[in-house]
Amino acid sequence: FLREYLNNKCVSNKKIKFLDIAPSESLSRWIKKQPCVEYRSMDLYMKNTDDHCDITDMKIYDDNSFNFIICSHVLEHVADDNKAISELYRVLTKGGAAIIMAPILLSLKEDYENINISTEGDRWKHFGQGDHVRIYSKDGFLKKIRKSGFNVDEFGADYFGKECFDKHGINQRSVLYIARK
């Protein structure tokens, strides 16, 4: 998706301002090599990022700062995910897009959160990881993103092709969510 998106957007000499939150090293390297990308990475704790700040208060960035954002597997760690999503919306330009992903349990009808579950052991038991604070339902996840003003496109196996999912070991029910402002 990202390769196709950048190929379509890189036809002019205008740079795409790109924010990668909690970046993965290999994807980050690939993005930085794209000639039309002006890249920034951000995380609260990671050492090798351009910026260190809290996703719920990204005051280091002006409104409408970025044309594209990746926020993958971050929101399930954040106590106030609604505020984080609002900040993503605030710093994204009009017409911009964001990959927003989190673990989703398709069998849930609504998000599972409980602020009283605070120890690492209890979080493993309830959320499947010691630093997660919730499990998203698909409807709950999409509702939170849309509540902040985003339009959301869903790209699954029908878009990418079953063969692509099989080749890369992706579950056929997986979906890439693209939030647009």
Side-chain angles (χ1 to χ4, degrees):
F1 175 86
L2 196 50
R3 183 180 297 120
E4 184 178 311
Y5 180 88
L6 291 175
N7 284 342
N8 289 335
K9 293 289 183 181
C10 290
V11 291
S12 71
N13 289 333
K14 189 174 180 184
K15 292 279 189 182
I16 296 170
K17 293 183 179 177
F18 199 109
L19 178 62
D20 194 358
I21 299 171
S24 78
E25 191 175 323
S26 58
L27 183 57
S28 176
R29 260 192 322 270
W30 181 85
I31 296 166
K32 287 178 185 179
K33 290 179 184 176
Q34 306 311 303
C36 65
V37 170
E38 186 178 304
Y39 179 87
R40 299 290 305 169
S41 60
M42 189 274 293
D43 190 86
L44 185 56
Y45 303 109
M46 292 173 76
K47 291 182 185 196
N48 295 325
T49 58
D50 298 313
D51 303 313
H52 295 95
C53 79
D54 184 336
I55 191 172
T56 64
D57 187 16
M58 296 191 291
K59 60 184 165 229
I60 64 170
Y61 304 127
D62 292 334
D63 295 356
N64 307 303
S65 293
F66 298 98
N67 308 107
F68 199 93
I69 298 172
I70 294 179
C71 180
S72 179
H73 293 262
V74 174
L75 297 174
E76 68 275 12
H77 299 269
V78 177
D80 191 347
D81 58 343
N82 287 311
K83 191 162 182 349
I85 296 166
S86 292
E87 279 291 274
L88 293 172
Y89 187 84
R90 182 185 68 78
V91 302
L92 190 67
T93 58
K94 185 170 174 49
I99 293 174
I100 303 178
M101 296 173 48
I104 293 174
L105 186 56
L106 295 175
S107 62
L108 288 180
K109 297 293 180 210
E110 57 187 45
D111 296 349
Y112 174 50
E113 298 181 75
N114 183 337
I115 60 168
N116 296 317
I117 300 169
S118 57
T119 67
E120 184 177 351
D122 284 343
R123 285 182 174 169
W124 272 104
K125 181 179 175 184
H126 289 268
F127 307 126
Q129 194 165 313
D131 57 352
H132 286 192
V133 297
R134 77 186 49 78
I135 299 175
Y136 287 104
S137 66
K138 181 174 180 173
D139 287 343
F141 182 72
L142 290 171
K143 187 182 296 183
K144 283 184 178 187
I145 294 171
R146 289 179 175 131
K147 186 172 88 173
S148 287
F150 285 111
N151 294 312
V152 182
D153 296 323
E154 301 178 44
F155 299 102
D158 290 345
Y159 176 82
F160 292 104
K162 180 184 180 319
E163 302 77 26
C164 176
F165 275 37
D166 288 343
K167 176 182 174 185
H168 297 288
I170 301 170
N171 185 296
Q172 295 296 317
R173 295 171 64 190
S174 291
V175 175
L176 177 66
Y177 298 102
I178 305 299
R180 299 183 191 276
K181 183 173 178 181

